[in-house]
Amino acid sequence: MAEPVVRIPDAKVALSTASVYPESTATAFEIAARLGYDGVEVMVWTDPVSQDVEALRRLSDYHGVPVLAVHAPCLLITQRVWSTDPWVKLQRARAAAEKLGASTVVVHPPFRWQRQYARDFVTGIWRMADETDVRFAVENMYPWRYRDREMLAYAPDWDVTKYDYRHFTVDLSHTATARTDAMAMIGRMGDRLGHVHLADGNGSAKDEHLVPGRGTQPCAELLTGLAGSGFDGQVVIEVNTRRAMSAAEREADLAEALAFARLHLASPSSPSSSSPSSSSPAPSASPSAAPSSAKRPGPSSARSPRTGSPGMRPS
């Protein structure tokens, strides 16, 4: 029997409900179904439907679109969503994920002014991860910049690879805003990379969330590496369409982003595609397993040096 020409990993391509902002969570399910996405990631924010597990279940059933991930309410505009206690927010996000059959909860590191939460964050995330099969995938952020000033707004650090978490989310719009080397960060994440927010950026101080391919980030290189490794996590399109002039323009952007992801997740089925000498770094095929070298908690002692205006919309 002939070998297939391309190899497609098990990774699913999902649509973040934030990608249709300022449209509703319900609109995201409708668009995801129409365009052929594998599922959605629900951004829990001020839209009441995004906070209502039963409403989300009905939308999922009606459109035939599974909820693959839940993004906990970690934004400035969601400080009172699901409680003012950040640990309660994560507990409710986990419960929602379990009820909806989602495998991942995405969480941002704390804001620096959330001092007690920040002090306990690393140990607390490990503890919560031990209590469930749902992955808590901690997302890389970025310094806030205004003109020539830089503010370190996140603690323990915006560069989440400085600490040992069981799973990571990499966001390529955030690597652009941080002006850091995305592929080097992904290399540090290694087999703990379990979730991808696919978007692009040009290094602006604003968190741009461009359609992949419209900025400077290595979106294609990342996806090709994931395909070659047999990555079985999730690739989530999280782009900014708020300036779309019409529903048709928004949908065209989301269709283009999906096509980009599908194209670059198709890896040539040849010995060279899986060779260790391949030019594209490839995370391990088993992001669900904690690495034997992971330790709890505290800053990593074996990491390479790093290089390195908050948005009011889902990001």
Side-chain angles (χ1 to χ4, degrees), residues 47-292:
D47 180 350
V49 171
S50 74
Q51 305 169 30
D52 186 332
V53 173
E54 290 308 313
L56 293 169
R57 191 198 308 278
R58 289 193 295 271
L59 282 169
S60 177
D61 291 344
Y62 179 79
H63 291 288
V65 174
V67 177
L68 300 180
V70 174
H71 195 310
C74 305
L75 306 175
L76 286 174
I77 60 172
T78 61
Q79 290 187 82
R80 296 185 178 279
V81 171
W82 276 0
S83 172
T84 56
D85 183 333
W87 291 114
V88 172
K89 293 173 183 284
L90 295 191
Q91 290 163 1
R92 292 192 63 172
R94 180 190 66 191
E98 290 171 342
K99 290 176 182 177
L100 294 166
S103 64
T104 302
V105 168
V106 178
V107 57
H108 293 180
F111 294 113
R112 294 191 74 87
W113 55 83
Q114 296 175 301
R115 294 180 181 178
Q116 186 61 50
Y117 179 46
R119 278 194 294 268
D120 298 339
F121 185 69
V122 181
T123 53
I125 290 294
W126 270 103
R127 183 179 64 252
M128 293 191 73
D130 283 340
E131 296 171 349
T132 180
D133 291 331
V134 173
R135 300 174 179 177
F136 281 88
V138 185
E139 183 174 1
N140 63 297
M141 298 305 291
Y142 47 85
W144 291 356
R145 292 190 180 90
Y146 179 70
R147 296 181 180 173
D148 59 347
R149 293 188 175 185
E150 183 175 289
M151 174 184 174
L152 300 179
Y154 298 97
D157 205 279
W158 63 264
D159 181 353
V160 293
T161 64
K162 290 183 178 179
Y163 287 79
D164 285 306
Y165 300 104
R166 182 170 293 174
H167 294 108
F168 292 111
T169 296
V170 68
D171 185 306
L172 293 188
S173 178
H174 295 177
T175 58
T177 304
R179 300 171 189 167
T180 195
D181 184 328
M183 295 309 294
M185 176 176 281
I186 291 161
R188 294 194 297 274
M189 290 178 175
D191 62 2
R192 290 173 289 172
L193 174 59
H195 202 70
V196 174
H197 280 171
L198 187 63
D200 216 329
N202 287 310
S204 166
K206 296 179 180 179
D207 185 18
E208 296 172 288
H209 283 272
L210 305 177
V211 171
R214 297 184 186 177
T216 61
Q217 294 305 287
C219 298
E221 183 180 357
L222 166 61
L223 294 173
T224 300
L226 295 178
S229 73
F231 177 73
D232 66 353
Q234 295 156 356
V235 175
V236 178
I237 302 299
E238 192 186 65
V239 296
N240 182 352
T241 64
R242 76 189 191 283
R243 294 184 179 177
M245 300 301 293
S246 66
E249 183 178 335
R250 172 175 291 109
E251 198 159 319
D253 282 348
L254 298 178
E256 179 183 331
L258 176 60
F260 184 101
R262 296 243 193 263
L263 173 65
H264 294 288
L265 279 172
S267 174
S269 183
S270 65
S272 62
S273 68
S274 57
S275 168
S277 62
S278 171
S279 60
S280 296
S284 164
S286 302
S288 61
S292 59

Side-chain angles (χ1 to χ4, degrees), residues 21-59:
Y21 180 83
E23 296 296 332
S24 66
T25 301
T27 299
F29 277 87
E30 180 184 345
I31 291 175
R34 188 158 53 243
L35 295 182
Y37 278 85
D38 296 319
V40 300
E41 174 180 301
V42 173
M43 170 67 79
V44 180
W45 66 300
T46 55
D47 180 350
V49 171
S50 74
Q51 305 169 30
D52 186 332
V53 173
E54 290 308 313
L56 293 169
R57 191 198 308 278
R58 289 193 295 271
L59 282 169

